[in-house]
Amino acid sequence: MGPAVRHLIGLALLAPLACAMFEDQAGKYDWRRTFIGAPTAAALHSRKPRLSVCTRPGVLATLNLRDGEVWWRHLLDDEGGVDGMAVIEKIGVVVTLSGGGRRLRAWDQLEGALRWEEAVGRGDGGGPSAMVDLVRNDGSADQPVVAVMAGREVKLFAATDGEEIWSAVVSDAPALDAGELGAGDGEIVAATAHTGSGRLRVVSLSVESGAILSEHSETLQQGLATELVIGRMSVGVLSSDYKHVCTTMIKGQQSATCTSVEELLPGKPRRGSLYQAGNRFLVALRGTENNIAALLPASGSSISSTQKYEGVTAATAVLTVDEKSLLGIVGSADDGQGIFFKMVDVTTGEVVHEEFADLHLHGTVGPTKHVESAFLGRYNRKDGTTGFRALLVGGDDSLSLIQQGQVVWSKDEALGSVQSSLFIDPPNAVPGVANLPKGDLLKKIKAQILSLKVQFSLNTEQEKLELMDMKQALSGKNAPLRDPNGSRKYIISATASGKLYALHNGDGRVVWSRCLSQAPFPNHVLLSRHSHDPNEAPQLLLVRLGGPGPSTILTVNAHTGAVSEETVPFGIQKIVQLPGVIRDGPAEQHMFLFVDDSSGYPEAYLSPNLPETRAWLKEVYKQIHFWRSDKGNGTMAGYGVVNGDVDATTGHVQLSDLWSLSFHSPILEIATRDTFDPVHSFVKILGDRTLKFKYLNPNTAFVASGPAFGVPSEELDRESIELTVTVLDTVTGRVLFRQVHRGARGPVKAVFSQHWIVYHYWSLKNQRYQMSAMELYDSGHQGISVLDVMLSEGPNETLSSHQPVPLEVLRSSYFVSNAVKTLTTTKTSKGITTQRVLIGTAADQVYAMDKRFLDPRRPKGRKPTEAREERLIPYSENLYMYPTMYATQNKDVLGLKVSGWCFVCRLKCECLWFMLASIAAT
């Protein structure tokens, strides 16, 4: 038997062990979802099906009013978010104020194009921001204008071209906490407040010239909330304890009158809001068990004699219809099923229109959320009468349009604020669900015929779409069950709005979701317990990082969403995953140290606090180390466990100081290795058959320090500007390597995987972005060849932080053209597949760069024989980004903030990657 035949037989015997994927599976994203976030302001067009909104994440968007489809959206990523929005239907523009009142822009409402942009130019650098749109008569025609409050100044701009018409100073206070603008008959009303002193100032300005028509100040003893409301004749403010509403006339010198609203909702309300209602005000109070709203009396009479509305959680702006001023109020229905929407005549307090709508979110488990805010619009019916519709924003970031008692459309925007995600395996079996879809024979034959037609370009566009639908229907990718290769996963995601989701990674659909009941909501997901028995569901921990104690720890069944709560008396500022598990039959229990440093010194608590975990910690406590940093002061400190004793009641663990380190400048970035970073080989085989041993100490950190980001370079001594990068051991605090980049500064982004580090920064000297790469090797073993290891045992010493080995650091630097938001890397189950560095660009796209382009051993000049054998890419000082290597292809992930979470599959060459942005997920 010849050697070729023996090789073929060997390959045939190995065939059942081989795993692979189809070519069209690689590098393709499975699904993409886009979001806009929860609106803070909205305008419903009165004649055309347009809805313009600005949202909490800082997004400006226009939607189709008929179905909620997003026509266009822009992320206004100015610091401070969106301060105000006004839609001017006459000229078809949306005017936005953003960046803390510093940037005024006008956008085309239909297409989203930028019409003009102006810098408001506030001089105080702080204070409130507000905007109002109105009409100014320039002598020949009415001209739409917008008035802007920027700190202590009010400025008027033309809405057509952004030209500044006039500016006026409305307050002489050095610091302001709240401000609001209102429009009257030929005048602009500006109200400012200083909550600390209770001082309220009201100024009336002429629209034509900006001259002050009237002004007066009041000092209120009740204390002011930061919410001011300007009515037609007066200014209202809610006290900080939500027990009084104080009003003062816009014109005149009458003293402010305060009305007690304490009897509306006995006890301390959790929240209160004030709304303008023509000549009156509507106050809405929210308690623990019930909510109520009331129209304030026109005179100083008692609140008991006015109209009250039970269950109200939100109200709209006033709308004038047939010379009547109408106000919309929204709340939960008496039976708890759905919501009510009522139109109230603010003059009489009578309900003139009432609707009920069912807003149940399908798939949601847990307590229902109330409506947080509402926006009113009107339209003309076919019979000539006026109809009303309302855009409702739920406390769970749901967005719904109701009209004539029906929910026209509903959108769930909570996934636009994902804060933490985790991939887990789905159940092995679900009652009534087949593992693979069953298609009939004729359907499969038709799919094969369509596939051939597409392959030979004989298809129509309709046949291509039909084939895609048939492939989706016949594929088992979206089955909600576990598969042998581990490609099907549930993505458990916690959002800022207090919702927990399980998404199927095949198509992004929601498997289950849960509304968490009590704020502050958790923002971090941990795997607490998993089992090798496929029928046992993994258990997750949901915790909140940051903030003082007490804290609530949630335990979640990952397959069903069932939640149990535990309250602990401490806060959680850092989570340390311990390097071991407790085995309970087929299950493995992970352990954590929750660190609370709110008192200035860290206190650690063991979780879960069980006899088994306490006994385990007692045995291995000398191996437990962690660190914490103060980036602003440029310091790091390391800690260890003293004796392994754990308090059986609280789980408290005593700590000791191990080391501290000062970098003498702010810390810009810290990157560490993943505890479970898979490594295929501990050596690199060179072209001359010698070995380089990788430095794979998991207790290694990369630290970049330099001038603080945000400080202009002009304010610094250019000769002393430098970026220092340090590689240190986190057990002993020993500095292993340090390099100084002179004439460079942040922002810095870095990724640390296996034995290599890649970081991105700005070079002032070259006025370009640069990216540098490091590879760490053990230089204590030189000249060892593959043959030496085969004929002898080779080096077999145990790596220890207390006995460091000499380190060899290979380095290289490159110019890159893109600013970078995030850096991370791919990883696979065995670490065999070549890694790719995932670069999140400033354009909200992700580029997958092959790690071989960042190899410090790339040869310069003529390529030697050893480099050709290793297939090293010749060095070039520029790193080019090829269009075909963008993982997001021609899409963007608006508001990209994390390049992605990568999770390994059982298939050794496959990883799953979930990208996160402030308003999108892929």
Side-chain angles (χ1 to χ4, degrees):
M1 183 181 296
V5 176
R6 287 198 297 269
H7 291 162
L8 289 174
I9 293 175
L11 290 174
L13 293 173
L14 291 174
L17 306 178
C19 295
M21 66 170 63
F22 292 105
E23 181 182 358
D24 61 352
Q25 288 180 302
K28 300 292 181 66
Y29 60 79
D30 293 314
W31 51 271
R32 178 174 178 264
R33 299 287 184 269
T34 59
F35 305 92
I36 58 174
T40 55
L44 290 75
H45 203 287
S46 60
R47 297 185 304 276
K48 297 180 180 180
R50 301 175 190 170
L51 167 63
S52 296
V53 298
C54 62
T55 67
R56 198 176 300 133
V59 177
L60 174 70
T62 291
L63 288 68
N64 188 338
L65 201 55
R66 295 191 178 100
D67 55 11
E69 177 190 2
V70 178
W71 282 349
W72 59 264
R73 59 180 185 152
H74 294 298
L75 178 62
L76 307 182
D77 53 356
D78 306 298
E79 184 180 353
V82 182
D83 302 296
M85 182 194 76
V87 174
I88 304 176
E89 296 183 2
K90 181 180 179 180
I91 57 176
V93 299
V94 182
V95 183
T96 60
L97 181 66
S98 58
R102 291 176 174 84
R103 190 67 58 182
L104 189 67
R105 299 182 179 101
W107 312 82
D108 187 284
Q109 189 182 20
L110 184 60
E111 298 179 353
L114 181 64
R115 291 276 192 91
W116 53 262
E117 179 178 8
E118 290 292 334
V120 176
R122 58 190 303 162
D124 56 355
S129 303
M131 183 175 65
V132 66
D133 65 299
L134 60 157
V135 175
R136 174 176 180 265
N137 192 303
D138 61 0
S140 59
D142 289 338
Q143 178 188 11
V145 292
V146 289
V148 173
M149 174 180 286
R152 296 181 296 167
E153 287 185 293
V154 173
K155 299 185 178 184
L156 193 72
F157 294 87
T160 52
D161 56 8
E163 179 187 0
E164 182 177 334
I165 300 173
W166 55 256
S167 65
V169 177
V170 296
S171 177
D172 56 358
L176 297 173
D177 300 313
E180 188 60 54
L181 287 179
D185 186 12
E187 64 180 5
I188 299 171
V189 180
T192 59
H194 186 269
T195 57
S197 62
R199 186 167 183 247
L200 174 66
R201 180 176 174 82
V202 181
V203 178
S204 176
L205 303 171
S206 169
V207 175
E208 305 300 327
S209 63
I212 296 179
L213 302 178
S214 65
E215 59 180 322
H216 67 277
S217 301
E218 297 279 353
T219 300
L220 305 177
Q221 303 299 325
Q222 287 78 6
L224 301 177
T226 57
E227 184 176 355
L228 296 174
V229 179
I230 299 178
R232 291 180 181 174
M233 301 177 63
S234 59
V235 175
V237 60
L238 189 63
S239 65
S240 55
D241 59 0
Y242 309 127
K243 294 183 178 181
H244 295 83
V245 174
C246 299
T247 60
T248 183
M249 302 301 293
I250 295 175
K251 295 181 180 180
Q253 299 298 324
Q254 298 93 334
S255 300
T257 60
C258 293
T259 303
S260 174
V261 295
E262 189 173 2
E263 62 183 80
L264 289 177
L265 198 65
K268 181 174 176 57
R270 292 189 298 114
R271 186 175 173 184
S273 299
L274 194 64
Y275 303 90
Q276 184 257 347
N279 295 331
R280 307 165 72 182
F281 295 94
L282 179 86
V283 58
L285 302 178
R286 190 173 302 163
T288 305
E289 299 180 355
N290 62 327
N291 310 303
I292 193 170
L295 275 171
L296 296 184
S299 61
S301 58
S302 172
I303 191 71
S304 60
S305 61
T306 192
Q307 294 86 353
K308 303 180 186 63
Y309 312 95
E310 296 286 345
V312 174
T313 59
T316 70
V318 172
L319 196 65
T320 303
V321 178
D322 298 332
E323 299 183 354
K324 289 184 178 181
S325 297
L326 303 180
L327 178 79
I329 56 175
V330 185
S332 302
D334 294 337
D335 56 2
Q337 301 296 323
I339 58 98
F340 66 80
F341 170 60
K342 301 177 181 180
M343 297 296 296
V344 176
D345 187 330
V346 298
T347 304
T348 63
E350 296 179 358
V351 176
V352 298
H353 178 78
E354 187 171 4
E355 297 177 2
F356 292 90
D358 184 8
L359 278 181
H360 176 70
L361 294 178
H362 299 286
T364 299
V365 183
T368 58
K369 296 279 187 175
H370 50 257
V371 176
E372 284 281 347
S373 56
F375 305 95
L376 184 62
R378 64 178 175 181
Y379 64 96
N380 294 322
R381 296 193 181 102
K382 293 181 180 180
D383 59 2
T385 59
T386 300
F388 303 101
R389 49 194 170 201
L391 180 72
L392 308 181
V393 182
D396 58 352
D397 285 359
S398 61
L399 188 61
S400 305
L401 181 72
I402 63 169
Q403 180 177 320
Q404 297 180 354
Q406 300 294 323
V407 179
V408 181
W409 51 262
S410 184
K411 296 166 64 73
D412 190 357
E413 294 293 334
L415 282 170
S417 60
V418 173
Q419 296 185 307
S420 179
S421 290
L422 185 69
F423 277 56
I424 57 99
D425 288 317
N428 193 48
V430 175
V433 177
N435 192 17
L436 291 175
K438 296 181 179 180
D440 56 18
L441 181 60
L442 292 178
K443 192 172 184 180
K444 293 181 179 179
I445 293 174
K446 184 178 180 181
Q448 293 292 332
I449 295 173
L450 288 176
S451 180
L452 287 172
K453 293 182 70 175
V454 171
Q455 189 172 359
F456 291 101
S457 301
L458 301 175
N459 63 292
T460 64
E461 188 64 27
Q462 183 62 32
E463 287 175 332
K464 183 178 179 180
L465 295 175
E466 184 180 359
L467 176 62
M468 293 174 62
D469 293 338
M470 293 181 72
K471 281 186 175 181
Q472 186 82 0
L474 295 172
S475 172
K477 181 180 70 172
N478 299 331
L481 305 173
R482 189 173 305 194
D483 67 304
N485 291 330
S487 297
R488 298 185 204 137
K489 299 284 186 180
Y490 283 175
I491 309 174
I492 309 299
S493 299
T495 70
S497 61
K499 292 190 74 172
L500 184 66
Y501 289 88
L503 309 176
H504 195 290
N505 74 304
D507 55 3
R509 72 180 184 274
V510 177
V511 180
W512 56 259
S513 65
R514 169 174 288 277
C515 291
L516 305 178
S517 58
Q518 188 174 1
F521 301 119
N523 56 13
H524 203 75
V525 184
L526 302 168
L527 178 61
S528 172
R529 178 186 175 93
H530 77 278
S531 176
H532 296 284
D533 181 359
N535 296 314
E536 184 177 343
Q539 289 184 0
L540 309 176
L541 289 184
L542 266 69
V543 300
R544 180 169 184 83
L545 282 176
S551 303
T552 300
I553 300 177
L554 306 179
T555 303
V556 181
N557 184 308
H559 290 168
T560 64
V563 175
S564 60
E565 293 187 5
E566 176 190 4
T567 301
V568 293
F570 52 84
I572 302 174
Q573 278 75 42
K574 187 178 180 66
I575 299 174
V576 180
Q577 183 161 2
L578 300 181
V581 294
I582 299 296
R583 287 180 171 82
D584 180 13
E588 294 181 352
Q589 176 69 54
H590 297 267
M591 294 167 288
F592 307 92
L593 282 182
F594 293 145
V595 181
D596 179 12
D597 60 0
S598 57
S599 62
Y601 187 84
E603 301 287 343
Y605 300 86
L606 179 65
S607 177
N609 185 16
L610 303 173
E612 298 86 354
T613 59
R614 293 195 292 268
W616 178 89
L617 187 65
K618 184 68 175 177
E619 293 180 2
V620 301
Y621 72 91
K622 293 182 179 180
Q623 304 174 20
I624 308 302
H625 310 85
F626 71 93
W627 54 269
R628 65 170 185 157
S629 64
D630 185 343
K631 290 188 175 182
N633 293 322
T635 59
M636 291 182 66
Y639 303 89
V641 177
V642 173
N643 52 22
D645 292 336
V646 182
D647 189 291
T649 304
T650 63
H652 182 266
V653 179
Q654 189 174 356
L655 302 177
S656 63
D657 298 326
L658 297 180
W659 55 269
S660 62
L661 193 62
S662 175
F663 296 90
H664 306 291
S665 59
I667 295 176
L668 306 179
E669 179 75 337
I670 299 177
T672 58
R673 279 191 60 193
D674 187 351
T675 308
F676 305 103
D677 199 3
V679 178
H680 173 63
S681 175
F682 293 88
V683 298
K684 174 177 279 191
I685 303 176
L686 306 184
D688 59 0
R689 300 298 185 272
T690 59
L691 304 178
K692 292 185 76 67
F693 289 82
K694 301 176 183 177
Y695 185 79
L696 296 170
N697 184 354
N699 302 307
T700 311
F702 167 86
V703 182
S705 58
F709 178 65
V711 178
S713 300
E714 293 77 11
E715 299 179 5
L716 302 172
D717 181 7
R718 295 184 69 89
E719 297 298 325
S720 63
I721 294 178
E722 59 185 27
L723 176 69
T724 304
V725 296
T726 307
V727 180
L728 59 90
D729 190 299
T730 58
V731 174
T732 62
R734 180 180 287 109
V735 175
L736 305 176
F737 174 79
R738 176 174 287 154
Q739 180 178 359
V740 176
H741 297 275
R742 300 198 180 277
R745 62 171 304 176
V748 179
K749 300 297 179 183
V751 58
F752 192 164
S753 177
Q754 297 188 12
H755 69 298
W756 56 266
I757 304 165
V758 171
Y759 55 100
H760 178 278
Y761 54 93
W762 172 255
S763 172
L764 282 171
K765 179 180 178 181
N766 299 297
Q767 289 296 300
R768 300 178 67 178
Y769 287 106
Q770 290 186 194
M771 188 174 285
S772 296
M774 293 183 183
E775 289 190 355
L776 311 179
Y777 294 97
D778 179 357
S779 63
H781 304 93
Q782 300 282 354
I784 299 177
S785 67
V786 177
L787 189 60
D788 295 334
V789 177
M790 293 176 62
L791 298 178
S792 63
E793 291 186 2
N796 193 27
E797 298 89 354
T798 301
L799 186 67
S800 172
S801 295
H802 299 284
Q803 297 178 347
V805 298
L807 201 62
E808 179 186 4
V809 181
L810 305 182
R811 295 159 285 163
S812 63
S813 295
Y814 311 87
F815 291 120
V816 291
S817 58
N818 293 69
V820 169
K821 286 186 174 182
T822 57
L823 282 179
T824 187
T825 182
T826 60
K827 57 184 178 182
T828 53
S829 61
K830 305 301 179 184
I832 299 175
T833 305
T834 302
Q835 291 179 281
R836 294 181 181 270
V837 179
L838 301 177
I839 303 173
T841 68
D844 290 333
Q845 290 187 304
V846 177
Y847 185 84
M849 178 169 287
D850 195 312
K851 172 60 179 63
R852 289 174 292 185
F853 285 102
L854 293 162
D855 192 334
R857 298 180 61 250
R858 289 177 61 179
K860 299 178 181 179
R862 187 175 180 180
K863 196 173 182 180
T865 304
E866 292 82 3
R868 286 199 297 269
E869 184 160 345
E870 292 183 57
R871 296 184 178 181
L872 294 177
I873 303 170
Y875 176 80
S876 172
E877 65 179 11
N878 294 299
L879 279 179
Y880 299 102
M881 291 191 173
Y882 301 98
T884 55
M885 298 307 296
Y886 278 92
T888 47
Q889 301 175 18
N890 63 338
K891 308 294 183 183
D892 63 358
V893 186
L894 199 62
L896 182 69
K897 57 185 178 182
V898 175
S899 265
W901 286 287
C902 286
F903 296 88
V904 301
C905 301
R906 295 185 185 92
L907 192 63
K908 62 184 179 182
C909 61
E910 184 179 359
C911 73
L912 298 175
W913 169 42
F914 180 61
M915 222 177 351
L916 172 66
S918 59
I919 49 175
T922 299

